[in-house]
């Protein structure tokens, strides 16, 4: 999450963020970031469609970052149960974002999960 957040705040690409690290992240993190980067348009379209009443660019950056990560995981990692993806995302939102973010992230991801994991 922190690396996606950094890319967004600095307005640089994810490959540039990864290239600038002094220590390479673990392979899972790299795969996750590369997946979010490669499938960004599809991920953003799913989040936008599920976040009724919210434009993507008006969401808190942390919420948007969490939603992108979790949405990609729902799309590309069928080995990870839906409940695990959503629970982890909700916990991140509760810890790092607003008091309402946990519920918001839960609702958006539940909608996306019904669509992509039907």
């Amino acid at each position: 999450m922190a690396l996606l957040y950094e890319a967004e705040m600095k307005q640089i690409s994810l490959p540039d963020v990864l290239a600038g690290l002094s220590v390479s992240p673990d392979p899972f993190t790299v795969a996750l970031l590369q997946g979010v980067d490669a499938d960004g348009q599809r991920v953003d379209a799913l989040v936008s469609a599920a976040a009724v009443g919210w434009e993507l660019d008006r969401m808190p950056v942390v919420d948007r970052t969490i939603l992108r990560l979790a949405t990609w995981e729902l799309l590309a990692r069928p080995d990870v149960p839906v409940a695990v993806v959503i629970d982890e995302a909700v916990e991140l939102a509760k810890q790092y974002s607003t008091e309402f973010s946990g519920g918001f992230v839960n609702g958006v991801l539940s909608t996306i999960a019904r669509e992509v994991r039907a």
Side-chain angles (χ1 to χ4, degrees), residues 14-82:
L14 284 169
D16 288 343
V17 169
L18 288 171
L21 296 174
S22 58
V23 176
S24 295
D26 65 85
F28 175 76
T29 299
V30 173
L32 187 61
L33 292 173
Q34 289 173 337
V36 170
D37 190 46
D39 295 329
Q41 288 183 338
R42 183 175 182 203
V43 166
D44 282 356
L46 286 165
V47 172
S48 292
V52 178
W54 280 90
E55 293 179 30
L56 198 60
D57 63 343
R58 303 255 328 174
M59 291 177 194
V61 176
V62 172
D63 293 1
R64 187 171 51 239
T65 299
I66 292 167
L67 287 168
R68 285 174 171 157
L69 285 170
T71 298
W72 183 83
E73 200 167 7
L74 287 169
L75 285 168
R77 296 294 310 266
D79 58 314
V80 181
V82 170

